[in-house]
Amino acid sequence: MLDYLFGDPEPFFNRFPRENFAQYESIAAEVRLGSESFQLERFIGLDGMKTKVEIDGTSHDLKGFQHWLLGKLDYPPVRYPKGVSSLERTWPELSFRTLYRHIYRQQRFWSDLADRQTPIETSACILQFLDLAADVYGEDLQKLRSLRERADRHAVEIYAGRMALWLMAGGSTAELPDAKALNALNPKRIVSKLQEELSALEAAIQLGPESTAPAQIPDRARLEQLVADARRAGEGHERLRSAEVLQSWSSTSEVHLKQTQQEIWELSERIRLADLSDMLKKRTDFLCEAMNEYLRLVNQLNPQLWRHRDVSIRISRRNELQLCVGDVQWDRALGGSDGLLFLMAYHYGLLSLSAQDEFRYPGIVVVDFPAYFRGRAISEIEGLVTKPFADLLEREAFSTCQVIFVGASFSGENRCHRIMLDSGYLH
């Protein structure tokens, strides 16, 4: 329900049975952002309000609510690349809902860092928490990628134009030329060749004498030849016009490609001089060290619970981030049981960012535990995996942070506020 309150676009009763929640009108919570407190409320079944969130009694549509949250959290607007190929790539806005999947882990999502996210979306979120997203996906980078996409389009145009000219010059589709042969093609020479062929054809056409006297009318065979030659001449004119258009188009694309390549080189140099690699490594190292701290603390409580190498982050040439255990991508290195421990370390690492001014994590973690962990009931070990969080919150630097765990009992932990649900609340 917390997910619904924070802008889940899916209709409420698609997720929850209507018969159990028919008596409820809305979901509400008091939320503190920095030094300000707000009352959030979202109605469940009220017509006209299903896609709105009320902030202190004022209604906002879901998109407006997301923008409001990002503004209150002082997150800079960021657009990140989404899509595999340059032709499919878009630059969507990094929304609060995308970030929220790293803050709130639902009981049904324990197989990835964030549910239903692509690697680039996950990287964008981590970079936003590290306060580097605006730099990594800044205007220069967006412009550089747009220039590269433009250069790709010009190259395709040149290839298509030259291929069409090659076919016009008598090339066969059964044996297409390679890129080297196409690059060596001379569009002007092909157009000149077509002009010569057309001139020769027109010169060969004999229309016969102008007199209409019966004795001077060409025979049937001659008339058919004249019609065929005239048709060929018309087709020749069409081919020539097409070839001239293709030549012009190809030449224009070549000029544009050279101009774009020069712009790419100049912008690449500017980006290279503003290299982010040192800052990126420094901040990802901080996140990894916090995650490894959690795993060491857990091992102190239960030796050999974590039996793997340290966590690291691999940074690609595109500044995409990939969390690893040792040198292996984490979800390939770990089974399902150790994966839960890794994901708890990830939330601990993110929360650790909250005490540092150079980061932008909002200081809250919400975790809904699964029923079982490593074949045991979660109630047997939930105190073990949550104790490092309780210890962290006792530090002065984390006094304004909040952690919400939903589990079986949390018995033995007296430092936290517990709400015991010992009776049914659905009627």
Side-chain angles (χ1 to χ4, degrees):
M1 284 186 270
L2 190 62
D3 192 40
Y4 182 75
L5 176 62
F6 276 90
D8 185 0
E10 187 175 353
F12 183 84
F13 291 117
N14 284 7
R15 294 268 300 276
F16 300 96
R18 186 179 295 272
E19 59 271 17
N20 290 342
F21 291 88
Q23 73 273 31
Y24 295 99
E25 294 182 351
S26 65
I27 301 168
E30 183 178 344
V31 177
R32 188 178 75 239
L33 298 172
S35 59
E36 299 179 277
S37 292
F38 303 92
Q39 183 75 19
L40 303 183
E41 185 172 16
R42 188 172 178 190
F43 290 91
I44 293 174
L46 188 63
D47 289 341
M49 297 296 292
K50 297 176 184 177
T51 59
K52 297 183 184 298
V53 177
E54 286 201 350
I55 306 171
D56 291 338
T58 302
S59 295
H60 298 259
D61 61 29
L62 297 183
K63 186 174 182 179
F65 175 61
Q66 301 298 309
H67 287 161
W68 178 83
L69 280 171
L70 290 173
K72 287 298 180 181
L73 292 170
D74 197 27
Y75 280 156
V78 170
R79 292 187 177 275
Y80 64 97
K82 188 176 182 180
V84 179
S85 70
S86 60
L87 296 177
E88 298 173 344
R89 190 168 297 144
T90 59
W91 287 79
E93 188 176 57
L94 185 60
S95 68
F96 178 79
R97 288 288 305 171
T98 309
L99 297 167
Y100 184 62
R101 293 174 186 172
H102 296 256
I103 298 169
Y104 173 35
R105 183 168 300 280
Q106 299 183 50
Q107 187 183 50
R108 58 198 177 120
F109 296 124
W110 283 87
S111 61
D112 210 340
L113 295 178
D115 62 284
R116 295 173 296 196
Q117 280 192 358
T118 63
I120 187 63
E121 286 177 304
T122 297
S123 292
C125 291
I126 296 174
L127 289 168
Q128 182 74 299
F129 295 142
L130 297 177
D131 198 19
L132 288 174
D135 297 312
V136 171
Y137 305 122
E139 291 184 4
D140 278 351
L141 186 62
Q142 291 188 42
K143 183 178 179 182
L144 179 61
R145 289 180 176 172
S146 296
L147 286 171
R148 285 173 174 164
E149 291 167 9
R150 188 197 304 171
D152 288 343
R153 288 195 296 272
H154 290 323
V156 169
E157 290 169 359
I158 293 169
Y159 177 85
R162 286 178 176 251
M163 180 63 74
L165 284 168
W166 182 80
L167 292 171
M168 285 183 176
S172 171
T173 55
E175 189 176 346
L176 296 176
D178 57 20
K180 184 177 181 180
L182 280 180
N183 288 333
L185 202 65
N186 190 324
K188 290 183 179 180
R189 187 173 299 169
I190 291 177
V191 171
S192 297
K193 180 182 177 183
L194 291 174
Q195 287 174 331
E196 292 171 1
E197 291 176 356
L198 180 59
S199 297
L201 178 61
E202 289 177 334
I205 296 176
Q206 299 294 329
L207 296 179
E210 296 182 2
S211 173
T212 58
Q216 296 177 326
I217 295 178
D219 59 24
R220 182 181 181 85
R222 179 58 179 152
L223 284 173
E224 290 177 351
Q225 181 63 46
L226 290 173
V227 171
D229 288 345
R231 185 179 294 115
R232 288 174 58 201
E235 292 171 352
H237 279 287
E238 288 296 326
R239 290 175 63 204
L240 180 59
R241 280 195 292 269
S242 297
E244 289 172 340
V245 169
L246 286 170
Q247 179 199 354
S248 175
W249 182 42
S250 182
S251 298
T252 302
S253 296
E254 288 175 5
V255 171
H256 289 163
L257 178 59
K258 290 179 180 178
Q259 293 173 343
T260 304
Q261 288 172 334
Q262 179 64 26
E263 290 182 61
I264 289 172
W265 183 85
E266 293 173 357
L267 188 55
S268 297
E269 281 298 293
R270 192 162 77 209
I271 292 173
R272 184 183 63 80
L273 293 174
D275 187 11
L276 293 171
S277 58
D278 289 343
M279 182 66 71
L280 189 55
K281 186 177 187 309
K282 178 182 177 182
R283 297 194 181 182
T284 54
D285 283 351
F286 185 97
L287 175 60
C288 289
E289 178 53 35
M291 293 179 67
N292 289 319
E293 175 187 312
Y294 173 86
L295 296 170
R296 287 194 295 270
L297 291 171
V298 168
N299 265 357
Q300 290 174 12
L301 298 170
N302 188 335
Q304 298 301 308
L305 186 62
W306 177 258
R307 295 165 294 176
H308 302 276
R309 297 172 64 186
D310 282 351
V311 175
S312 63
I313 290 183
R314 186 182 301 152
I315 305 171
S316 75
R317 292 176 59 188
R318 295 183 176 182
N319 290 329
E320 293 178 14
L321 310 182
Q322 186 179 87
L323 269 73
C324 301
V325 175
D327 297 324
V328 182
Q329 187 173 315
W330 77 271
D331 52 348
R332 296 177 182 173
L334 305 175
S337 55
D338 289 334
L340 184 145
L341 201 59
F342 178 90
L343 293 173
M344 290 297 291
Y346 177 63
H347 287 296
Y348 184 93
L350 290 179
L351 187 63
S352 298
L353 304 179
S354 306
Q356 306 294 322
D357 292 337
E358 64 265 37
F359 300 117
R360 286 185 181 272
Y361 189 75
I364 183 171
V365 170
V366 183
V367 174
D368 191 351
F369 282 106
Y372 293 92
F373 172 57
R374 300 191 72 166
R376 293 185 289 175
I378 192 67
S379 58
E380 297 178 22
I381 57 169
E382 60 190 6
L384 172 69
V385 297
T386 60
K387 185 179 184 302
F389 288 87
D391 294 341
L392 187 69
L393 292 182
E394 287 195 325
R395 302 179 193 175
E396 178 63 28
F398 295 90
S399 60
T400 60
C401 295
Q402 183 179 23
V403 175
I404 301 173
F405 289 137
V406 181
S409 67
F410 301 109
S411 59
E413 181 54 76
N414 299 317
R415 294 174 294 173
C416 305
H417 174 63
R418 290 193 296 166
I419 301 175
M420 299 296 295
L421 303 176
D422 52 9
S423 61
Y425 63 98
L426 299 178
H427 304 287

